[in-house]
Amino acid sequence: MKFKGKSFIAIVLTPQIPSDAWFAEIDRIMTRSPGFFIDRPIILDARGTKMPIDDLEGVLEGLSQRSIRVMGIDGIAGTRLKPGMPPSFGGGRLAAEVDVPGPAGVGVAAVEVTEKASKGEDADADSDATVDLDDDPANDQTSIVITEPVRSGQSVVHPTGDVTIIGSVSSGAEVIAGGSIHVYGALRGRALAGVSGNEDARIFCTKLDAELVSINGLYQIADDFGKEVLNASAQIRFENETLVFERLG
């Protein structure tokens, strides 16, 4: 039997009590970027808070209602945790801060869960940048075109229309659109179309190798993609509460 280490970057959330304002900021982030927390490991950092377990239980319940799943709790001994709570967690190494949509305020950071064994293809690319096109009135239009690749750690957010990328979307990057998403290159990151409730939105790409795709809030991760569309030109559409994957050409 062989044991191997693997490196993950987890989002760290630092809860604040009373939690109403903190959850309001979480809701704002999810409104601006609906896919921000989807399928990402989350660590709850309670160090120095002396948070009562009942309050912690309320925080976990609020996160669960928002489909935010916590993989571990840092700063509270495992003996204090109730059955069913995520395990006590510690020893992570701090990584770069995570850029959240709009003004920050929920204590969002990142931690490297294990020591890296290898670097991915975009490990040296620029990261932690958000291109929030909805903040600029000049971009309040049906569609926009990005004429360069979207690199790891970057986000393109345009909740009022279509987004066209002339280039690839790297692993660790995301594109969020109120309409359809067109990628003239490899789609390796996350693509979320129809985030404003548009079930007619579609995702098109020259090469499908995505981490996650979503249309109108319904999402699917890479492990669930059919082999016939992997690494091929494809389109994805929403039909009868399911995502339909089809090859192009």
PDB file of all heavy atoms in Angstrom, residues 215-232:
ATOM      1  N   ILE A 215     -25.517  26.020 -15.684  1.00  0.00           N
ATOM      2  CA  ILE A 215     -26.492  26.838 -16.407  1.00  0.00           C
ATOM      3  C   ILE A 215     -27.715  26.987 -15.522  1.00  0.00           C
ATOM      4  O   ILE A 215     -28.272  25.985 -15.033  1.00  0.00           O
ATOM      5  CB  ILE A 215     -26.888  26.220 -17.768  1.00  0.00           C
ATOM      6  CG1 ILE A 215     -25.665  26.086 -18.685  1.00  0.00           C
ATOM      7  CG2 ILE A 215     -27.964  27.050 -18.448  1.00  0.00           C
ATOM      8  CD1 ILE A 215     -25.958  25.413 -20.013  1.00  0.00           C
ATOM      9  N   ASN A 216     -28.125  28.228 -15.278  1.00  0.00           N
ATOM     10  CA  ASN A 216     -29.311  28.523 -14.486  1.00  0.00           C
ATOM     11  C   ASN A 216     -29.264  27.846 -13.112  1.00  0.00           C
ATOM     12  O   ASN A 216     -30.266  27.356 -12.606  1.00  0.00           O
ATOM     13  CB  ASN A 216     -30.575  28.103 -15.254  1.00  0.00           C
ATOM     14  CG  ASN A 216     -31.851  28.613 -14.604  1.00  0.00           C
ATOM     15  OD1 ASN A 216     -31.860  29.657 -13.949  1.00  0.00           O
ATOM     16  ND2 ASN A 216     -32.941  27.872 -14.767  1.00  0.00           N
ATOM     17  N   GLY A 217     -28.065  27.796 -12.512  1.00  0.00           N
ATOM     18  CA  GLY A 217     -27.923  27.261 -11.167  1.00  0.00           C
ATOM     19  C   GLY A 217     -27.737  25.759 -11.094  1.00  0.00           C
ATOM     20  O   GLY A 217     -27.411  25.228 -10.029  1.00  0.00           O
ATOM     21  N   LEU A 218     -27.946  25.052 -12.199  1.00  0.00           N
ATOM     22  CA  LEU A 218     -27.725  23.607 -12.221  1.00  0.00           C
ATOM     23  C   LEU A 218     -26.295  23.342 -12.668  1.00  0.00           C
ATOM     24  O   LEU A 218     -25.882  23.788 -13.737  1.00  0.00           O
ATOM     25  CB  LEU A 218     -28.708  22.941 -13.181  1.00  0.00           C
ATOM     26  CG  LEU A 218     -28.670  21.413 -13.272  1.00  0.00           C
ATOM     27  CD1 LEU A 218     -29.097  20.785 -11.953  1.00  0.00           C
ATOM     28  CD2 LEU A 218     -29.579  20.921 -14.397  1.00  0.00           C
ATOM     29  N   TYR A 219     -25.515  22.645 -11.855  1.00  0.00           N
ATOM     30  CA  TYR A 219     -24.104  22.488 -12.182  1.00  0.00           C
ATOM     31  C   TYR A 219     -23.688  21.024 -12.255  1.00  0.00           C
ATOM     32  O   TYR A 219     -24.357  20.118 -11.747  1.00  0.00           O
ATOM     33  CB  TYR A 219     -23.217  23.232 -11.179  1.00  0.00           C
ATOM     34  CG  TYR A 219     -23.127  22.627  -9.805  1.00  0.00           C
ATOM     35  CD1 TYR A 219     -22.128  21.706  -9.501  1.00  0.00           C
ATOM     36  CD2 TYR A 219     -24.016  22.995  -8.797  1.00  0.00           C
ATOM     37  CE1 TYR A 219     -22.020  21.155  -8.230  1.00  0.00           C
ATOM     38  CE2 TYR A 219     -23.915  22.438  -7.531  1.00  0.00           C
ATOM     39  CZ  TYR A 219     -22.922  21.531  -7.254  1.00  0.00           C
ATOM     40  OH  TYR A 219     -22.836  20.983  -5.995  1.00  0.00           O
ATOM     41  N   GLN A 220     -22.561  20.797 -12.920  1.00  0.00           N
ATOM     42  CA  GLN A 220     -22.004  19.468 -13.063  1.00  0.00           C
ATOM     43  C   GLN A 220     -20.487  19.590 -13.022  1.00  0.00           C
ATOM     44  O   GLN A 220     -19.918  20.515 -13.613  1.00  0.00           O
ATOM     45  CB  GLN A 220     -22.459  18.844 -14.389  1.00  0.00           C
ATOM     46  CG  GLN A 220     -22.399  17.326 -14.401  1.00  0.00           C
ATOM     47  CD  GLN A 220     -23.289  16.733 -15.503  1.00  0.00           C
ATOM     48  OE1 GLN A 220     -24.430  17.156 -15.657  1.00  0.00           O
ATOM     49  NE2 GLN A 220     -22.764  15.808 -16.258  1.00  0.00           N
ATOM     50  N   ILE A 221     -19.838  18.666 -12.321  1.00  0.00           N
ATOM     51  CA  ILE A 221     -18.383  18.714 -12.206  1.00  0.00           C
ATOM     52  C   ILE A 221     -17.749  17.761 -13.219  1.00  0.00           C
ATOM     53  O   ILE A 221     -18.423  16.926 -13.819  1.00  0.00           O
ATOM     54  CB  ILE A 221     -17.920  18.379 -10.777  1.00  0.00           C
ATOM     55  CG1 ILE A 221     -18.361  16.974 -10.367  1.00  0.00           C
ATOM     56  CG2 ILE A 221     -18.442  19.411  -9.796  1.00  0.00           C
ATOM     57  CD1 ILE A 221     -17.833  16.535  -9.019  1.00  0.00           C
ATOM     58  N   ALA A 222     -16.433  17.880 -13.366  1.00  0.00           N
ATOM     59  CA  ALA A 222     -15.721  17.162 -14.425  1.00  0.00           C
ATOM     60  C   ALA A 222     -15.919  15.654 -14.339  1.00  0.00           C
ATOM     61  O   ALA A 222     -16.008  14.977 -15.375  1.00  0.00           O
ATOM     62  CB  ALA A 222     -14.239  17.510 -14.373  1.00  0.00           C
ATOM     63  N   ASP A 223     -15.986  15.099 -13.143  1.00  0.00           N
ATOM     64  CA  ASP A 223     -16.120  13.652 -12.990  1.00  0.00           C
ATOM     65  C   ASP A 223     -17.407  13.114 -13.608  1.00  0.00           C
ATOM     66  O   ASP A 223     -17.508  11.910 -13.881  1.00  0.00           O
ATOM     67  CB  ASP A 223     -16.086  13.263 -11.508  1.00  0.00           C
ATOM     68  CG  ASP A 223     -14.719  13.487 -10.876  1.00  0.00           C
ATOM     69  OD1 ASP A 223     -13.731  13.641 -11.636  1.00  0.00           O
ATOM     70  OD2 ASP A 223     -14.638  13.519  -9.641  1.00  0.00           O
ATOM     71  N   ASP A 224     -18.385  13.999 -13.827  1.00  0.00           N
ATOM     72  CA  ASP A 224     -19.678  13.562 -14.349  1.00  0.00           C
ATOM     73  C   ASP A 224     -19.835  13.792 -15.848  1.00  0.00           C
ATOM     74  O   ASP A 224     -20.881  13.483 -16.418  1.00  0.00           O
ATOM     75  CB  ASP A 224     -20.817  14.290 -13.610  1.00  0.00           C
ATOM     76  CG  ASP A 224     -20.806  13.987 -12.121  1.00  0.00           C
ATOM     77  OD1 ASP A 224     -20.437  12.859 -11.750  1.00  0.00           O
ATOM     78  OD2 ASP A 224     -21.158  14.881 -11.327  1.00  0.00           O
ATOM     79  N   PHE A 225     -18.801  14.359 -16.496  1.00  0.00           N
ATOM     80  CA  PHE A 225     -18.899  14.597 -17.936  1.00  0.00           C
ATOM     81  C   PHE A 225     -18.800  13.260 -18.680  1.00  0.00           C
ATOM     82  O   PHE A 225     -18.072  12.362 -18.284  1.00  0.00           O
ATOM     83  CB  PHE A 225     -17.771  15.507 -18.439  1.00  0.00           C
ATOM     84  CG  PHE A 225     -17.784  16.890 -17.855  1.00  0.00           C
ATOM     85  CD1 PHE A 225     -16.704  17.742 -18.043  1.00  0.00           C
ATOM     86  CD2 PHE A 225     -18.859  17.358 -17.125  1.00  0.00           C
ATOM     87  CE1 PHE A 225     -16.700  19.015 -17.518  1.00  0.00           C
ATOM     88  CE2 PHE A 225     -18.866  18.634 -16.578  1.00  0.00           C
ATOM     89  CZ  PHE A 225     -17.785  19.469 -16.777  1.00  0.00           C
ATOM     90  N   GLY A 226     -19.501  13.168 -19.806  1.00  0.00           N
ATOM     91  CA  GLY A 226     -19.393  11.981 -20.641  1.00  0.00           C
ATOM     92  C   GLY A 226     -18.077  11.955 -21.400  1.00  0.00           C
ATOM     93  O   GLY A 226     -17.550  12.998 -21.803  1.00  0.00           O
ATOM     94  N   LYS A 227     -17.524  10.765 -21.609  1.00  0.00           N
ATOM     95  CA  LYS A 227     -16.241  10.635 -22.297  1.00  0.00           C
ATOM     96  C   LYS A 227     -16.306  11.143 -23.727  1.00  0.00           C
ATOM     97  O   LYS A 227     -15.294  11.569 -24.291  1.00  0.00           O
ATOM     98  CB  LYS A 227     -15.795   9.168 -22.285  1.00  0.00           C
ATOM     99  CG  LYS A 227     -15.457   8.642 -20.897  1.00  0.00           C
ATOM    100  CD  LYS A 227     -14.972   7.188 -20.968  1.00  0.00           C
ATOM    101  CE  LYS A 227     -14.608   6.668 -19.580  1.00  0.00           C
ATOM    102  NZ  LYS A 227     -14.155   5.252 -19.617  1.00  0.00           N
ATOM    103  N   GLU A 228     -17.497  11.104 -24.330  1.00  0.00           N
ATOM    104  CA  GLU A 228     -17.614  11.501 -25.733  1.00  0.00           C
ATOM    105  C   GLU A 228     -17.394  12.995 -25.957  1.00  0.00           C
ATOM    106  O   GLU A 228     -17.112  13.420 -27.081  1.00  0.00           O
ATOM    107  CB  GLU A 228     -18.984  11.094 -26.293  1.00  0.00           C
ATOM    108  CG  GLU A 228     -20.183  11.833 -25.705  1.00  0.00           C
ATOM    109  CD  GLU A 228     -20.647  11.281 -24.375  1.00  0.00           C
ATOM    110  OE1 GLU A 228     -19.998  10.330 -23.868  1.00  0.00           O
ATOM    111  OE2 GLU A 228     -21.653  11.782 -23.850  1.00  0.00           O
ATOM    112  N   VAL A 229     -17.510  13.808 -24.909  1.00  0.00           N
ATOM    113  CA  VAL A 229     -17.329  15.248 -25.077  1.00  0.00           C
ATOM    114  C   VAL A 229     -16.036  15.766 -24.457  1.00  0.00           C
ATOM    115  O   VAL A 229     -15.650  16.910 -24.703  1.00  0.00           O
ATOM    116  CB  VAL A 229     -18.532  16.039 -24.489  1.00  0.00           C
ATOM    117  CG1 VAL A 229     -19.801  15.752 -25.250  1.00  0.00           C
ATOM    118  CG2 VAL A 229     -18.698  15.755 -23.002  1.00  0.00           C
ATOM    119  N   LEU A 230     -15.365  14.961 -23.678  1.00  0.00           N
ATOM    120  CA  LEU A 230     -14.121  15.401 -23.035  1.00  0.00           C
ATOM    121  C   LEU A 230     -13.059  15.705 -24.086  1.00  0.00           C
ATOM    122  O   LEU A 230     -12.854  14.937 -25.035  1.00  0.00           O
ATOM    123  CB  LEU A 230     -13.610  14.335 -22.072  1.00  0.00           C
ATOM    124  CG  LEU A 230     -14.271  14.279 -20.691  1.00  0.00           C
ATOM    125  CD1 LEU A 230     -13.723  13.110 -19.901  1.00  0.00           C
ATOM    126  CD2 LEU A 230     -14.062  15.586 -19.937  1.00  0.00           C
ATOM    127  N   ASN A 231     -12.403  16.857 -23.920  1.00  0.00           N
ATOM    128  CA  ASN A 231     -11.328  17.310 -24.816  1.00  0.00           C
ATOM    129  C   ASN A 231     -11.794  17.474 -26.257  1.00  0.00           C
ATOM    130  O   ASN A 231     -10.990  17.412 -27.194  1.00  0.00           O
ATOM    131  CB  ASN A 231     -10.141  16.337 -24.760  1.00  0.00           C
ATOM    132  CG  ASN A 231      -9.521  16.251 -23.390  1.00  0.00           C
ATOM    133  OD1 ASN A 231      -9.257  17.274 -22.755  1.00  0.00           O
ATOM    134  ND2 ASN A 231      -9.302  15.039 -22.896  1.00  0.00           N
ATOM    135  N   ALA A 232     -13.088  17.711 -26.431  1.00  0.00           N
ATOM    136  CA  ALA A 232     -13.652  17.919 -27.766  1.00  0.00           C
ATOM    137  C   ALA A 232     -14.401  19.247 -27.805  1.00  0.00           C
ATOM    138  O   ALA A 232     -14.726  19.828 -26.762  1.00  0.00           O
ATOM    139  CB  ALA A 232     -14.598  16.769 -28.131  1.00  0.00           C
TER     140      ALA A 232
END
